[in-house]
Amino acid sequence: MLAGMMMRLLAAHKPAVLAIVILQLLQTTANLLLPTLNAAIIDDGIVLGKTDLILRLGGWMAGIAAVQVAAALSAGYFSANVAMKLGRQLRQELFAKVQSLSSQEVGSFGVPSLVTRATNDVQQIQALAVLVFTMLVAAPAMGIGGIVLALNQDVVLSGIVVAIVPVLVVIMYLIVRRLVPLYREGQVLIDRISRVLREQIIGANVIRAFVRQAHEARRFAVVNRELTRNNLQSALLVAGMLPLIMIVVNLSSVAVVWFGGHRIQAGDMKLGALTAFIAYILQILIAIMMAMYVLMTAPRAAACAERIQAVLDTRPAIADPAISRAGLPHAQRTAGGTVEFRDVTFAYPGAEAPVLDRISFTASPGTFTAIIGSTGSGKSTMLNLLPRFLDATSGEVLIGGHNVKSLPLHFLRNSLSLVPQRAYLFSGTVAENLRIAAPDASDDDLLRALRTAQAEDFVRDLPHGLHTPVSQGGTNFSGGQRQRLCIARALLRDAPVYLFDDSLSALDHATDARLREALTPLTRRSTVIIVAERIATILDAGLILVLDKGRLVAQGTHSELMRTSTVYQEIAASQLALGGRV
């Protein structure tokens, strides 16, 4: 999997990869020539006293060394450049894939795991890419070239090479085989510790409120201890590899000097040839050690590649239909705002009972439609079916007479303007947050939307007005302020359908009343659907849908439902006292 991923990513960088290969071969060739030239200087120059030969060969050595340095620097630059581009490409692919996944699919991976895969896992593959580009060509070329040139210097002494290479290969194989499962387990443990940390940071106030700091500290200590144990085991294996390799290297060097000295004494070998042979032995061992570093990094990168590929291979359950926007009929591209549910059922995979069960209704432009029901009755799920955050298990959801599954997602979602249940703002400024809905909106447009959302006064009172900084999540604003800013953001878009998912819960009654009055012109030209908890918010609605345990048990106006619906009467009785609004 890792090899396939690397080949796919490298396909877009063929010229740079080719340049790296050529530069590494040039660097390795230069490195292999230097010991031979050095041997010639000793045997043919120094021993025979040929000064001109020494100067000439020395000049060649200096030139080759300069080429070697230049090639090494250039290869290092191109290697780092391509490796970082591979990381950027992987992160972009992961980001695009996560954006296409439904909330159910994101939940199956877990948010902390997806963050780890897009950061830590990609960094591991980048680290391997740098090593591969630096060593993958150089190591085999140096090893094979070193063996050939060592044989050229002395065939008998080359038997030492034949003896030590299998020993080094066995050492690396045994260690790498143990590293693979450790690295795979380590990445899972990083996910776990990220998840625990995220929960404890987000739920810090809950932990403090229930005095659970000691319990959470113990829970964190458990996963921290497991990760430490895993990292220690893999670190000890990696640390043990180098001493074992160095023992073999040092013993082989001693053997070369010992047997080489005897061969020089016997007249079977020259002194320069021995120095060259020692250099080639070291180069062979360096090539093996370079391969060792790649093999040490590869198992962790392979585990990371599996995790990244698992995300990239996920097929989104909610995808665009085959038809493109350009191919849409004109009627579809100008679909109206009528919303219709035809016998719609929705159930989560593996659930015992459906969340929504055979829901049918029609919400038309010019009518303010409200959805009310007890907690867990499926109100928000109904709204999530319209922009296809979820897909109906059976039945049809239609906008403007067309099934939402037949419309391209970008067109469908551009036809809707949503205020989510959780009022979320992004880091930036107030203006930047509002322009998420309409990037080309002017400041006057922003103020007009804020005025309708009953947010203009408090935004004008901010130190920098529209340009006041917003912290991540909008935590520097109160809950009511965040809700009104999210409502203003939705109103900034001119859409045929507006969806408010329990978006008025943090507003006081006076602000709620002023906002509903300001929204009245909107309902004349668009379909407005609001999920509400308070009956006082929806008394004037043209159509009220009453949900109970996932079923649509009644629909009509407030006065009609007060006469005909027991469920609605129970809700009203709990919220309305003596005919007054609560």
Side-chain angles (χ1 to χ4, degrees), residues 20 23 70-85 133-134:
I20 292 170
L23 288 168
L73 291 174
S74 300
Y77 170 80
F78 283 113
S79 298
N81 187 273
V82 173
M84 296 308 108
K85 287 181 178 179
F133 294 144
T134 305

Side-chain angles (χ1 to χ4, degrees), residues 428-482:
T429 66
V430 171
E432 288 170 349
N433 269 275
L434 296 179
R435 288 194 173 101
I436 289 174
D440 299 326
S442 65
D443 285 357
D444 288 340
D445 294 331
L446 302 186
L447 292 172
R448 193 177 303 112
L450 289 168
R451 191 176 307 121
T452 304
Q454 308 303 303
E456 183 183 19
D457 290 342
F458 88 77
V459 170
R460 287 189 182 278
D461 290 339
L462 294 173
H464 304 288
L466 289 170
H467 305 290
T468 299
V470 178
S471 61
Q472 185 179 10
T475 53
N476 56 332
F477 291 96
S478 70
Q481 289 173 333
R482 287 198 299 272

Side-chain angles (χ1 to χ4, degrees), residues 192-209:
R192 286 183 58 190
I193 203 168
S194 298
R195 183 171 62 250
V196 172
L197 269 173
R198 184 174 183 271
E199 288 177 349
Q200 292 177 346
I201 292 170
I202 293 176
N205 288 340
V206 177
I207 294 169
R208 296 186 189 114

Side-chain angles (χ1 to χ4, degrees), residues 30 44 46 77 136 163 167 181 274 317 319 408-409 418 459 511 535 563 572:
D44 300 331
I46 297 175
Y77 170 80
L136 190 60
V167 175
L274 178 61
L409 288 174
L418 170 68
V459 170
T511 304
I535 282 185
R563 293 194 306 270

